[in-house]
């Protein structure tokens, strides 16, 4: 696998989410970890917003995740 393919948009945990356009033009949500808690107990947790071209050490190709379902 090349570094070019190891991007959030190719990851099994990436969710393209239209409402994230306020943060980044190609934004989505990373569903690898649970939502991040907020300082105020009355606020809901938030999923990390990532760009399609971002990447991390938890990358898993989308097709390999679906094969295990």
């Amino acid at each position: 696998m090349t570094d070019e393919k190891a991007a959030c948009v190719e990851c099994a945990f990436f969710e393209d989410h239209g409402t994230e356009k306020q943060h980044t033009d190609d934004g989505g949500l990373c569903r690898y970890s649970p939502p991040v808690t907020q300082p105020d107990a009355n606020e809901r947790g938030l999923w990390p917003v990532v760009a399609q071209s971002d990447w991390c050490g938890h990358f898993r190709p989308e097709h390999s995740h679906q094969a295990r379902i």
Side-chain angles (χ1 to χ4, degrees):
M1 170 174 41
T2 66
D3 291 338
E4 188 175 324
K5 289 188 176 194
C8 291
V9 72
E10 300 294 333
C11 184
F13 303 110
F14 178 78
E15 180 182 332
D16 188 6
H17 202 265
T19 61
E20 303 312 320
K21 302 295 183 202
Q22 64 188 349
H23 300 290
T24 178
D25 288 340
D26 67 345
L29 302 176
C30 178
R31 299 290 190 160
Y32 179 81
S33 297
V36 179
T37 58
Q38 302 303 302
D40 184 347
N42 294 324
E43 295 289 322
R44 64 184 178 96
L46 301 173
W47 296 94
V49 175
V50 296
Q52 292 180 6
S53 60
D54 286 346
W55 64 275
C56 77
H58 298 293
F59 175 78
R60 183 167 299 142
E62 189 169 8
H63 57 83
S64 70
H65 175 71
Q66 291 179 1
R68 294 187 294 147
I69 295 177

